[in-house]
Amino acid sequence: MKHSNRRDFLKRSTVVATAAGFTPYLFSSAQPVYAQAASDRLQIGCIGVGDMGRGDARDFTNLGDIVAVCDVDSEYGIANAQNDPNIGKKVNDEKVGKPDGYKDYREVLDRKDIDVVSIVTVDHWHVKIAVEALMAGKHVFCQKPLTLTVEEGQLIRNACKKYNNLVFQVGTQQRAQKDQFATAAHMVRKGMLGDIRKMTVDIGGSDVGGPFKKEAPPECLDFEMWQGQTPRVEYIKERVHFQFRWWYEYGGGKFTDWGAHHIDCAQWALNECQEGCGPISFNPIVAEHPVPFKDGYPTVDDCYNASHKFEISCKFASGVEMLVCSSSRDGNGILIEGTRGRIHVDRGRINGRPMEAGLHKQLTDDDFKELYNGKDFDGLHNWHKRNFITCIKEGGLPVSDVYSHVVAMNSCHLCAIAARLGREIKWDPKTETIVGDDQASTFLARERYKGYEILV
């Protein structure tokens, strides 16, 4: 395998970008210039360093040098990240100095020495920052769920095609769990379970809470910037940090939070993640919300509003049913039922008679290499992020690529739309349009608050 150091692959990227007519992203006054350092270690900027972001930053510290951290909360985010002994630049396994801190992500993208950005913000900021990072010539690791709407999936997919010299890995690390989800996917694809009839995807229900107190935001938080493209509201502390995911304004509840993992792996196993694939209908058998809804929108603004109890029957053209639910007999995970047997897979294990019969032992390293886009699985900790770094240095598509993730996210968003409207949604996966329902079609995109448009 040919070795490529940081200088070499950055030089190659410059040539490709120049040939493609590279233009700088908005707000920047200079063309992106790639750093020419002697070290092989990548220079990484982490945008969004709350609890999840700091965890990703710690992992990346073992793979490169964290030279910048950014967050709209100077205490919860920036200060905690800068003072973390496992985030920054390391020499002989010891942290050296603190990464620079920023409240505005554009300052990170302006830095010419940064090769990679890790984006772990609230969901409604993912695509805007990711598109601008690509325009700035950065390789991108972005946490799931990547998109807020179906339209955003189209925007980020087009951006990745335009800047195809750059590597983009989505943080759906379940694909890197060889002994669980990758094994289950291979068993399905190789026919070990026979013809698949049904998948039950248990993603849990969203939290219920409120009414919450409206108050002034803390001085450490730039709440205006935090809201970004979303409608302006009074500050409620339960809207920010981890709890943002229980509001449809900022995400999709469990449909996108855990659906980005389990729906993704279910469609990955069915080989239904290519462009033009996916279910053709989404029928809400059960769809309950913690607050009253009218025309698909919550009628109160001080309570969590994402669905907490649901069963959405998603049908593929093949006849396979994927039941997306908030609870099931087998618990969180994916129950896969075929004509030759059934298995249940979660983050801890796979069980079922096909496993007891040892069918999975027929799988080879070459099988997994094929599933992982030609990359070897070495079984070491943090393979998901190391797969991303390997693709930067050697080329190739990472295991959680944007193109397949967007297809899975479309299913997540359509489950949410069906639940919000309380009726079946017909979907054309080839044209990515809702069939025969003008009202439902309005949920495929959202009007963005002025000044926070996504660049295309």
Side-chain angles (χ1 to χ4, degrees):
M1 186 174 292
K2 183 179 178 181
H3 174 72
S4 175
N5 64 23
R6 181 170 180 267
R7 180 190 298 270
D8 290 336
F9 78 75
L10 292 177
K11 187 181 295 182
R12 280 202 313 272
S13 297
T14 303
V15 172
V16 175
T18 302
F22 193 93
T23 55
Y25 69 109
L26 194 63
F27 311 117
S28 177
S29 60
Q31 289 279 357
V33 178
Y34 291 92
Q36 298 294 306
S39 171
D40 281 355
R41 287 178 68 81
L42 295 163
Q43 306 296 289
I44 302 171
C46 296
I47 301 172
V49 282
D51 286 343
M52 186 70 185
R54 290 195 297 275
D56 283 342
R58 293 182 197 109
D59 287 342
F60 275 121
T61 296
N62 297 316
L63 302 170
D65 292 331
I66 309 297
V67 297
V69 294
C70 175
D71 202 282
V72 294
D73 192 320
S74 58
E75 293 182 7
Y76 175 76
I78 297 172
N80 283 333
Q82 287 183 314
N83 294 325
D84 191 309
N86 295 306
I87 296 176
K89 179 178 181 180
K90 285 188 174 183
V91 176
N92 296 326
D93 292 327
E94 294 293 330
K95 178 178 174 180
V96 179
K98 294 183 178 182
D100 297 327
Y102 302 94
K103 293 192 78 170
D104 191 326
Y105 73 94
R106 294 168 291 191
E107 295 183 77
V108 176
L109 300 187
D110 270 333
R111 283 187 50 165
K112 300 174 180 64
D113 62 322
I114 290 178
D115 314 308
V116 176
V117 293
S118 171
I119 303 171
V120 196
T121 61
V122 287
D123 297 353
H124 62 271
W125 266 107
H126 284 172
V127 169
K128 178 172 175 59
I129 297 174
V131 169
E132 293 177 21
L134 292 172
M135 296 175 74
K138 315 299 185 188
H139 301 281
V140 177
F141 177 92
C142 186
Q143 264 300 339
K144 47 59 62 179
L146 180 57
T147 61
L148 185 66
T149 64
V150 169
E151 182 206 33
E152 285 195 359
Q154 297 165 346
L155 293 176
I156 191 60
R157 184 174 61 207
N158 290 340
C160 286
K161 289 179 179 179
K162 182 176 181 179
Y163 301 105
N164 61 10
N165 59 298
L166 299 168
V167 177
F168 197 122
Q169 174 87 296
V170 183
T172 45
Q173 76 275 6
Q174 283 187 178
R175 288 197 180 191
Q177 291 187 297
K178 179 182 178 183
D179 293 337
Q180 290 85 37
F181 295 95
T183 292
H186 257 313
M187 293 179 72
V188 170
R189 291 190 181 196
K190 287 186 173 295
M192 294 180 181
L193 305 181
D195 295 330
I196 303 303
R197 299 293 176 83
K198 183 178 181 179
M199 287 188 170
T200 301
V201 181
D202 184 340
I203 57 177
S206 298
D207 282 7
V208 175
F212 299 118
K213 179 182 177 182
K214 297 178 181 179
E215 55 189 322
E219 292 184 4
C220 61
L221 174 67
D222 185 344
F223 187 53
E224 163 65 29
M225 188 74 164
W226 185 93
Q227 293 178 92
Q229 63 166 292
T230 64
R232 293 307 181 258
V233 295
E234 293 183 70
Y235 173 79
I236 293 174
K237 68 178 182 179
E238 287 83 6
R239 283 186 179 269
V240 302
H241 301 321
F242 180 84
Q243 293 91 343
F244 79 87
R245 64 200 71 220
W246 313 134
W247 306 79
Y248 278 136
E249 294 92 317
Y250 315 121
K254 279 293 182 71
F255 291 121
T256 57
D257 183 48
W258 268 89
H261 286 304
H262 287 348
I263 292 176
D264 172 70
C265 284
Q267 294 193 194
W268 191 42
L270 291 172
N271 210 13
E272 286 275 1
C273 272
Q274 299 89 356
E275 287 185 53
C277 294
I280 59 173
S281 67
F282 299 81
N283 186 25
I285 300 169
V286 176
E288 297 181 12
H289 291 83
V291 297
F293 268 60
K294 182 180 180 181
D295 296 327
Y297 291 93
T299 58
V300 299
D301 65 356
D302 58 356
C303 300
Y304 296 145
N305 55 45
S307 180
H308 64 288
K309 185 177 181 180
F310 51 82
E311 289 184 15
I312 314 295
S313 175
C314 313
K315 294 286 185 68
F316 294 88
S318 64
V320 174
E321 179 185 22
M322 178 174 68
L323 183 68
V324 178
C325 61
S326 55
S327 64
S328 66
R329 183 188 66 182
D330 297 280
N332 182 281
I334 307 170
L335 175 65
I336 307 171
E337 300 178 74
T339 55
R340 295 182 183 175
R342 48 190 274 172
I343 58 174
H344 183 268
V345 56
D346 58 32
R347 290 188 175 181
R349 63 175 183 169
I350 308 178
N351 57 23
R353 289 187 178 179
M355 297 298 294
E356 294 170 7
L359 296 183
H360 61 293
K361 295 178 181 178
Q362 300 173 22
L363 300 175
T364 67
D365 289 342
D366 286 341
D367 290 329
F368 287 100
K369 190 172 182 178
E370 177 184 352
L371 195 66
Y372 288 144
N373 300 319
K375 300 296 181 185
D376 290 314
F377 180 90
D378 56 27
L380 298 177
H381 170 70
N382 194 24
W383 182 78
H384 189 71
K385 293 184 179 70
R386 290 189 302 105
N387 170 252
F388 169 56
I389 299 300
T390 298
C391 289
I392 292 174
K393 294 189 174 184
E394 299 177 357
L397 198 65
V399 63
S400 292
D401 64 283
V402 164
Y403 309 107
S404 60
H405 182 75
V406 165
V407 174
M409 285 308 305
N410 285 347
S411 296
C412 298
H413 295 313
L414 287 156
C415 282
I417 294 170
R420 292 175 67 163
L421 292 173
R423 61 175 178 264
E424 184 177 19
I425 303 297
K426 300 290 187 180
W427 175 247
D428 185 337
K430 290 184 171 57
T431 61
E432 295 183 331
T433 55
I434 290 175
V435 179
D437 193 328
D438 292 341
Q439 183 187 31
S441 296
T442 65
F443 286 81
L444 297 178
R446 301 190 191 184
E447 182 179 357
R448 300 180 184 94
Y449 193 79
K450 187 176 181 180
Y452 293 89
E453 297 82 7
I454 296 175
L455 305 176
V456 293

